[in-house]
Amino acid sequence: MKPVVSERGRRMPSSPIRKLMPLAEAARRRGVRVYPLNIGQPDLETPPAMRRHLAEAPAVFAYSPSAGTPECLATLQEYYRRIGIALSTDDIIATTGGSEAVLFAMMAGAGEGDDVLLVEPFYTNYQAFATMAGLRLVALPTRAEDGFHLPPREAWERALTSRTRMVLLCNPNNPTGTVYTAEELQVAADFCRDRGLFLVADEVYRELVFDGRKHVSALSLAGFEENVVVVDSLSKRYSACGIRLGCLVTRNRDLYGACFRMAQGRLSPPGLAQLVALGASELGPDYVLGLVAEYQARRDILYEALRDIPGVLMRKPEGAFYFVARLPIEDAEDFAAWMLSDFSLDGATVLVSPAPGFYATPGLGRNEVRIAYVLRKEHLETAVRVLARGLAAYREARGMGPVATATATTSGL
Ligand SMILES: Cc1ncc(COP(=O)(O)O)c(C=O)c1O
């Protein structure tokens, strides 16, 4: 008899971000250059100060302590000290990317069949982790018109169920690029404290806040030590996605203990990555300033060009390196596929992520796409030109005609 995979295995969603890859591959085989605006894989160099540490690789690639080497934990502690957050190394567990930290937080903070409250659109892999952990995501909608900012307290209260165990916030937000203000964060934190919930804050894009904004870490909120769990990562901050190092931070001893035991179960975080991480303390403040300036300049190129396209609705993104834009189309999946299979301009096309995969509520995001600006400026300029021409050509091909002038501006957003 053939063995069958579990219900959980069957329910595991496939990545909506990667769904269009075969069409992109086919376009490349036809000789079309595909600009990837779909995934958050930065093109910047991992800082040499970090790469240099690979030369210290020992003769034996041994397991490290389960929470990370003392040196790696001290480096992470020093990183937080520099951004004004005092932690003990016993508050930090090094993980295999921020991804493992999300999974640990979910599995330790909620049980089979429990609810995780979050806002949509959200980072699609939260759905994958929730499925692995047997949790249900309960999503509160946020809207482009409000810059995808957080809902008021009443909305959180209305969404509460007897099974809600945590609120999961991504700040700065992937996919919307929204940076939450101290006030809205406080509302969410108060709600968590009053209702006995964990506040899991995914801050992997912490540094990437633009136009002089200040990021407020959930770890800096006084009086929420028992509620707050932070998910962090070196992937985006140091353009080091492939080394697979992140961490989970919490001052809640019980939650730390549960996550630590999970960490023991999987033995140790990646050893080479922990060596590379040591180089982070050698980077001066200029490193982050340069990083922010680069992404802000890229954001500006895309924003300026996109808001000139008739019918495109978006707010100026505040952080991270993504945004969600509403396009003058009806079906973003069809549009994204068509761009790869039917369109090119001067031998080039673009790959964007259809937004429905970032929503839990069926039907939402149908005319939206997520765009990541992880390409250098000259490529972005070309990519946005291709996108604009592609949009017009797509509307014509689908018999939609030019965008009516009444909906042809970004005004009001
Ligand atoms: C919001 C968010 N959280 C977590 C991750 C996980 O990153 P990693 O596992 O590379 O640290 C990502 C990656 O794109 C992300 O966008």
Side-chain angles (χ1 to χ4, degrees):
M1 232 166 70
K2 189 179 165 198
V4 289
V5 299
S6 68
E7 173 64 21
R8 177 189 293 115
R10 280 198 296 277
R11 285 212 325 263
M12 270 308 287
S14 56
S15 165
I17 308 177
R18 291 171 186 267
K19 208 154 80 180
L20 293 163
M21 293 299 192
L23 288 180
E25 272 317 307
R28 285 190 188 106
R29 278 198 300 276
R30 293 196 309 274
V32 175
R33 173 165 192 164
V34 179
Y35 287 101
L37 299 176
N38 62 322
I39 55 169
Q41 168 58 67
D43 63 345
L44 304 177
E45 258 194 18
T46 309
M50 299 179 76
R51 298 201 318 262
R52 260 200 303 277
H53 283 267
L54 280 176
E56 295 156 19
V60 177
F61 295 131
Y63 291 127
S64 76
S66 296
T69 62
E71 297 79 16
C72 176
L73 292 175
T75 302
L76 292 168
Q77 181 190 37
E78 170 62 13
Y79 160 79
Y80 287 107
R81 191 195 63 75
R82 286 188 197 173
I83 61 167
I85 296 167
L87 293 173
S88 141
T89 48
D90 285 345
D91 299 327
I92 309 171
I93 298 175
T95 51
T96 308
S99 304
E100 190 180 53
V102 176
L103 189 59
F104 281 1
M106 282 186 174
M107 299 221 293
E112 193 79 30
D114 283 341
D115 289 347
V116 175
L117 207 49
L118 79 179
V119 291
E120 61 183 348
F122 54 79
Y123 173 51
T124 60
N125 284 333
Y126 292 156
Q127 184 60 68
F129 298 128
T131 305
M132 286 188 217
L135 309 179
R136 186 173 74 123
L137 295 183
V138 176
L140 284 175
T142 56
R143 302 176 336 133
E145 286 80 351
D146 306 322
F148 297 106
H149 276 275
L150 294 180
R153 170 81 181 237
E154 305 80 77
W156 292 111
E157 293 288 351
R158 271 198 306 274
L160 190 73
T161 69
S162 60
R163 305 226 50 176
T164 310
R165 296 287 172 266
M166 64 179 60
V167 167
L168 172 56
L169 287 184
C170 178
N171 180 33
N173 192 275
N174 172 10
T176 62
T178 304
V179 178
Y180 302 135
T181 63
E183 291 72 28
E184 62 193 317
L185 202 59
Q186 189 71 39
V187 169
D190 285 340
F191 168 69
C192 287
R193 191 173 53 188
D194 295 349
R195 300 297 178 184
L197 309 176
F198 289 110
L199 174 60
V200 180
D202 180 338
E203 301 184 355
V204 307
Y205 299 98
R206 181 181 296 115
E207 276 73 19
L208 297 178
V209 293
F210 307 138
D211 310 316
R213 282 185 177 77
K214 289 261 170 293
H215 177 261
V216 183
S217 171
L219 288 167
S220 65
L221 302 175
F224 296 88
E225 290 75 9
E226 297 302 330
N227 304 87
V228 169
V229 186
V230 159
V231 166
D232 215 336
S233 172
L234 273 63
S235 291
K236 318 292 170 165
R237 185 175 305 138
Y238 304 117
S239 200
C241 298
I243 64 166
R244 310 306 302 132
L245 199 76
C247 64
L248 177 142
V249 183
T250 184
R251 298 177 175 109
N252 179 311
R253 296 323 303 161
D254 293 340
L255 193 88
Y256 176 92
C259 293
F260 181 69
R261 294 190 295 277
M262 289 181 192
Q264 285 184 320
R266 62 76 165 115
L267 301 176
S268 82
L272 288 182
Q274 294 185 76
L275 274 182
V276 172
L278 303 184
S281 358
E282 294 157 35
L283 303 171
D286 284 358
Y287 173 74
V288 165
L289 292 176
L291 188 75
V292 173
E294 175 64 27
Y295 283 115
Q296 183 168 318
R298 293 175 178 197
R299 186 262 333 241
D300 289 345
I301 288 172
L302 274 180
Y303 177 67
E304 297 304 327
L306 279 172
R307 58 174 208 168
D308 285 346
I309 302 176
V312 172
L313 299 179
M314 62 179 288
R315 284 240 200 191
K316 198 170 195 174
E318 300 164 342
F321 43 57
Y322 309 94
F323 59 88
V324 171
R326 193 175 300 164
L327 304 182
I329 55 175
E330 276 156 21
D331 183 345
E333 309 240 359
D334 182 57
F335 169 68
W338 184 88
M339 285 296 286
L340 295 169
S341 52
D342 289 70
F343 182 78
S344 67
L345 178 70
D346 301 330
T349 192
V350 296
L351 174 51
V352 293
S353 292
F358 298 84
Y359 287 88
T361 308
L364 290 185
R366 282 201 66 198
N367 55 356
E368 295 172 359
V369 292
R370 185 193 73 166
I371 290 179
Y373 37 103
V374 287
L375 305 180
R376 70 175 93 111
K377 296 176 201 110
E378 53 281 20
H379 290 166
L380 279 181
E381 276 158 4
T382 311
V384 78
R385 206 158 0 102
V386 172
L387 182 65
R389 291 282 287 279
L391 254 179
Y394 174 80
R395 285 184 56 91
E396 212 173 300
R398 293 286 182 264
M400 299 169 84
V403 179
T405 36
T407 54
T409 69
T410 53
S411 59
L413 269 191

